[in-house]
Amino acid sequence: MTISFSGSAGALAFAALFASTGATVALAQEDIGIVVYNAQHESLGVAWAEAFTKETGIKVTLRKGGDMEFANQIVQEGAASPADVFLTENSPAMSLVDGAGLFEPVAAETLAQVPENFRPSNGHWIGVAARSTVFAYDKTKLTEDKLPKSMLDLADPSWKGRWAASPSGADFQAIVSALLSLKGEEATASWLKAMKENFTAYKGNSTAMKAVNAGEVEGAVIYHYYYFGDQAKTGENSKNVALHFFKNDDPGAFVSISGGGVLASSQHKENAQKFLAWITGKGGQGILRDGTSFEYAVGNGEASNTALPALSDLQYPKVDPATLNSAKVTDLMTDAGLL
């Protein structure tokens, strides 16, 4: 297995090389196996790739980048993309690639391994893991009766200067995408405008959680696994932190789906489909259960890490991942002065 970092210029040069050579290309492709653009956690991608190769003998080359970085890169590369598979942390990047018509439909038997609510309705890609939106709060300052009942409550002036988020990250933008899908453009724009007045910006969910732990703010909208990951280590960045799950189909209870898809331009579609089938099956979902990413397993009947509250208890809103609109969210957040 090979791991490399990718930028647009490097990947386009790589694509051009592949497009301009003959027999050498075929040999090189066999040497590197399937190419996976991995925007998932690096450690999770490595664990999946190594276990898949060990079980099947199919080589995997991982290229590391971010959700939207890779999504825009794939759109730019088009039919010349060297990627066989695209893995993300959040759904909007998958929707962007899908909207450009660049995914091969996922094999029916693979789709059957994951419940309908954890994959887009069109079957062009599939959920491979999930993460829940939470309000991480300072338990030394807030009691349960003082917590916001809804994420929308954070727009109230009473929360001014008391909460945080990382608006520039794909994680938070996915949450806003869900808000847009659930409540519409007018309500989303209004909430974002109030957010601008009330919140403190941090770069990264882990940094926002550290700020809560240090008493800089009373709470932060993040994903659940940052807390559980820190607790599994030293807990030094979360010792004063507790998690509030909004539940009740609230936008703040949104469960974001990490996606996987096979590129229509792939020269190794059969092996790429096998990889998707493997990571959504017992092997890949077992790594989620037993590993340290603390993301939720999404495969039918597959258990998640025992440290996590049951996904079935979170009362999250049902959002078709295919409806998440990253371009509109970027426009709305820019208009609100958040980007």
Side-chain angles (χ1 to χ4, degrees), residues 31 33 59 68 88 101 121 184 247 286:
D31 286 343
K59 294 180 181 179
M68 296 311 297
T88 66
S121 54
K247 300 185 177 183

Side-chain angles (χ1 to χ4, degrees), residues 20-330:
S20 63
T21 57
T24 305
V25 170
L27 179 60
Q29 287 178 327
E30 291 306 316
D31 286 343
I32 64 177
I34 59 170
V35 174
V36 176
Y37 279 8
N38 180 41
Q40 248 294 345
H41 296 150
E42 184 173 4
S43 59
L44 178 58
V46 170
W48 273 342
E50 289 182 343
F52 172 73
T53 298
K54 183 178 180 181
E55 184 171 318
T56 67
I58 300 169
K59 294 180 181 179
V60 178
T61 294
L62 293 175
R63 305 197 185 284
K64 180 62 180 173
D67 274 6
M68 296 311 297
E69 173 194 2
F70 268 146
N72 285 303
Q73 182 173 309
I74 290 170
V75 171
Q76 186 178 9
E77 292 169 343
S81 179
D84 297 295
V85 175
F86 181 32
L87 297 180
T88 66
E89 290 190 352
N90 296 287
S91 300
M94 302 299 290
S95 295
L96 180 63
V97 174
D98 190 23
L102 297 175
F103 279 133
E104 182 81 1
V106 176
E109 57 269 28
T110 302
L111 291 174
Q113 294 185 151
V114 173
E116 290 184 359
N117 56 309
F118 292 137
R119 50 183 167 88
S121 54
N122 62 19
H124 291 175
W125 55 273
I126 192 168
V128 298
R131 62 276 302 281
S132 175
T133 309
V134 295
F135 188 66
Y137 67 95
D138 185 343
K139 61 186 179 182
T140 71
K141 295 181 178 179
L142 291 176
T143 52
E144 288 191 13
D145 61 305
K146 295 180 180 179
L147 294 172
K149 298 294 187 293
S150 165
M151 186 179 77
L152 301 180
D153 292 346
L154 295 173
D156 191 274
S158 64
W159 280 98
K160 185 176 179 63
R162 299 172 59 196
W163 71 282
S166 177
S168 63
D171 287 357
F172 189 78
Q173 291 173 28
I175 296 168
V176 178
S177 291
L179 175 60
L180 177 62
S181 179
L182 291 164
K183 298 297 182 180
E185 184 173 339
E186 184 177 351
T188 302
S190 176
W191 188 81
L192 290 172
K193 182 179 179 180
M195 173 183 169
K196 174 65 176 176
E197 295 298 318
N198 287 354
F199 95 122
T200 301
Y202 288 90
K203 189 171 180 59
N205 282 331
S206 59
T207 306
M209 185 181 72
K210 289 178 184 178
V212 175
N213 189 63
E216 296 174 19
V217 287
E218 293 177 31
V221 176
I222 63 173
Y223 283 146
H224 77 278
Y225 64 83
Y226 291 93
Y227 170 83
F228 288 100
D230 188 71
Q231 286 284 300
K233 297 174 184 176
T234 64
E236 62 181 322
N237 297 313
S238 58
K239 62 182 179 181
N240 297 324
V241 176
L243 299 186
H244 174 49
F245 291 82
F246 287 103
K247 300 185 177 183
N248 299 312
D249 294 327
D250 190 79
F254 168 61
V255 169
S256 183
I257 308 303
S258 300
V262 173
L263 276 297
S265 57
S266 170
Q267 299 300 304
H268 306 90
K269 289 189 176 71
E270 182 178 353
N271 286 345
Q273 292 279 6
K274 286 180 180 178
F275 182 72
L276 274 193
W278 190 88
I279 63 175
T280 55
K282 289 190 176 298
Q285 297 297 289
I287 286 173
L288 280 177
R289 180 191 63 235
D290 300 331
T292 58
S293 72
F294 292 98
E295 294 183 81
Y296 281 101
V298 295
N300 283 318
E302 299 297 333
S304 299
N305 192 294
T306 56
L308 305 179
L311 189 56
S312 58
D313 293 339
L314 300 188
Q315 300 172 18
Y316 53 89
K318 303 303 184 288
V319 179
D320 182 350
T323 67
L324 300 183
N325 188 331
S326 59
K328 187 62 179 179
V329 164
T330 299

